[in-house]
Amino acid sequence: MAFKLPFKLPAATWFRGAGTHSIGLELSQNSLNLAQFKTQTAGSTPLLQAACSVAYPVDRDTLLASPQGLKSLLAGVFKQHPFRGRRVTTLLPADKVRTLSLSYPLKAGQDEANAILTTLSQRLNEPLDELVIDYVPIRTTDDRPERLALIAMARHTDVVDYLELLRRAGLEVTSVEIGQIAISRLITWLNGHAPDRNSLVINFGNDISYLTMISGRRLVIDHGIGFGETALLERLATELDISGQQARALMRSGNTDGQSAHWAASLPSNNKARTLALDILQSDLIQLKDEIRRTLIYAASELHGQPVHNLYLFGSLARWNGLSARLQALIEIPTQHPDPLGAFQGERQHTTGSQQDLYIATGLALKELTAHA
């Protein structure tokens, strides 16, 4: 099966099917994350059917190469948790997708997909016919000559391989989404669908983090920055003479028992140790603050001066104790580590692992429950 460009697909959807509510499925770096909602009457608050985050029994690359291994992992999950059906809404692993914000001119009567692909072909130094490309309009209604869209690109072979992996693992894929759109949908629910609520989201990755501005249910800004957990752990490991694994355990956990004799002897108090670690990283956090401020300045023009009400933190660094308070002190915006399941009722006792791990899976699961999804 070949994909021919140019083509136009519904926003944020590469493959779409019909039926009852699908399971939101994410194969993150370290865990299989799943969420599903029950069918409800129109207008009612969704009820959680099931949700869980399960650590991989092997490294992710091994699992992605083994449909039978993934099928076995899913069988265990479905036996323990009350998921229904095998239909899934998913997204490609993050390292298989590139996203960028693209400004493009659109002349009267011109096809939007053609305009985007023409501009994109001028920006990229590679043939577009080897890629599957999707886009989400961001700026479409003001009087500026250029429009703005969030572009997602993946190699055709990677898309086909991922779909085939899930098919051979016994799943039926109803749609493949862009991660930022799943996050935007979740934030809309967490904000109670307030049309005038403006939220900045930072999704921390290992090497690249994404700053996304959401106004009501509209995606306003999305851009990536070279800031992530890997470099910060390397700095802490060097400065504190510990391993990167020990540094991560310190920032994520409540104790340092068994990490190292040197660490335990020199820094017996975890709170003091984390404060020291954040002090060491202060220059990095100031760089992050500067990126946030640049985003806020740009957002002020897009939002016509409306305030940004809160900052949501997701991803790797969102699990670090003390980081939220340190960031809030730098930027003076209420900072939250939201519970992605906090706006919903249902079978919460069926969740396992960190609920923070479920933010993308929950956003995916909400697709069929959200108007203009």
Side-chain angles (χ1 to χ4, degrees), residues 137-158:
I138 296 177
R139 184 201 304 139
T140 60
T141 58
D142 59 27
D143 57 359
R144 278 171 284 188
E146 289 193 331
R147 295 192 175 190
L148 186 67
L150 173 65
I151 308 296
M153 300 170 288
R155 294 202 169 278
H156 173 272
T157 53
D158 288 337

Side-chain angles (χ1 to χ4, degrees), residues 143 145 166 169 201 210 248 273 317 342 351 373:
D143 57 359
L166 298 186
V201 178
Y210 290 91
R248 178 185 286 112
L317 293 174
T351 64

Side-chain angles (χ1 to χ4, degrees), residues 30-338:
N30 299 304
S31 61
L32 169 66
N33 304 315
L34 302 165
Q36 186 180 34
F37 290 93
K38 296 179 181 180
T39 300
Q40 290 292 103
T41 58
S44 61
T45 301
L47 288 177
L48 188 67
Q49 172 70 31
C52 67
S53 176
V54 180
Y56 298 137
V58 295
D59 67 87
R60 190 181 65 166
D61 288 344
T62 299
L63 189 67
L64 290 177
S66 173
Q68 190 58 45
L70 178 58
K71 186 174 184 178
S72 177
L73 178 60
L74 287 166
V77 169
F78 292 149
K79 184 177 181 179
Q80 290 185 320
H81 304 281
F83 292 99
R84 293 185 178 179
R86 296 297 182 267
R87 298 174 59 253
V88 298
T89 297
T90 188
L91 75 172
L92 268 70
D95 58 345
K96 304 296 184 183
V97 181
R98 287 178 290 165
T99 62
L100 59 89
S101 294
L102 183 74
S103 295
Y104 60 97
L106 185 66
K107 300 176 182 178
Q110 186 178 13
D111 179 75
E112 187 173 41
N114 284 332
I116 288 174
L117 290 170
T118 298
T119 305
L120 188 62
S121 65
Q122 295 168 354
R123 181 165 173 177
L124 297 180
N125 187 27
E126 59 184 303
L128 296 188
D129 57 5
E130 296 180 3
L131 303 174
V132 175
I133 300 171
D134 197 6
Y135 69 93
V136 179
I138 296 177
R139 184 201 304 139
T140 60
T141 58
D142 59 27
D143 57 359
R144 278 171 284 188
E146 289 193 331
R147 295 192 175 190
L148 186 67
L150 173 65
I151 308 296
M153 300 170 288
R155 294 202 169 278
H156 173 272
T157 53
D158 288 337
V159 175
V160 173
D161 288 348
Y162 183 67
L163 293 174
E164 182 65 6
L165 167 72
L166 298 186
R167 185 192 68 80
R168 292 177 63 189
L171 301 175
E172 176 190 350
V173 177
T174 65
S175 64
V176 178
E177 288 213 301
I178 301 172
Q180 290 92 320
I181 301 305
I183 294 173
S184 177
R185 186 182 303 120
L186 173 63
I187 296 303
T188 298
W189 281 92
L190 294 182
N191 284 342
H193 296 272
D196 57 350
R197 190 76 177 175
N198 301 319
S199 301
L200 177 62
V201 178
I202 304 180
N203 186 19
F204 292 111
N206 289 336
D207 301 302
I208 299 174
S209 300
Y210 290 91
L211 280 66
T212 305
M213 183 70 70
I214 299 159
S215 178
R217 61 179 178 83
R218 183 171 70 97
L219 182 67
V220 177
I221 303 167
D222 180 84
H223 71 101
I225 58 174
F227 186 95
E229 186 179 47
T230 300
L232 300 190
L233 290 177
E234 289 175 354
R235 183 187 293 272
L236 289 180
T238 299
E239 295 288 338
L240 298 173
D241 192 23
I242 58 176
S243 70
Q245 184 177 5
Q246 290 169 335
R248 178 185 286 112
L250 168 69
M251 301 309 295
R252 291 190 179 188
S253 67
N255 64 75
T256 54
D257 293 343
Q259 290 188 33
S260 73
H262 165 81
W263 185 247
S266 60
L267 295 166
S269 168
N270 258 13
N271 288 335
K272 290 182 179 179
R274 281 192 287 267
T275 298
L276 173 60
L278 290 170
D279 287 343
I280 291 171
L281 299 175
Q282 185 71 5
S283 61
D284 299 273
L285 296 179
I286 288 174
Q287 290 180 17
L288 176 59
K289 178 203 72 172
D290 292 340
E291 290 285 354
I292 293 172
R293 289 204 178 279
R294 280 191 284 270
T295 300
L296 294 175
I297 290 170
Y298 180 80
S301 64
E302 295 291 318
L303 298 172
H304 306 291
Q306 298 175 26
V308 175
H309 298 95
N310 51 3
L311 171 64
Y312 287 122
L313 303 181
F314 291 114
S316 57
L317 293 174
R319 299 174 179 83
W320 282 28
N321 293 313
L323 181 70
S324 173
R326 188 65 68 99
L327 267 184
Q328 182 164 329
L330 289 172
I331 63 174
E332 299 178 347
I333 296 176
T335 305
Q336 303 177 45
H337 295 92

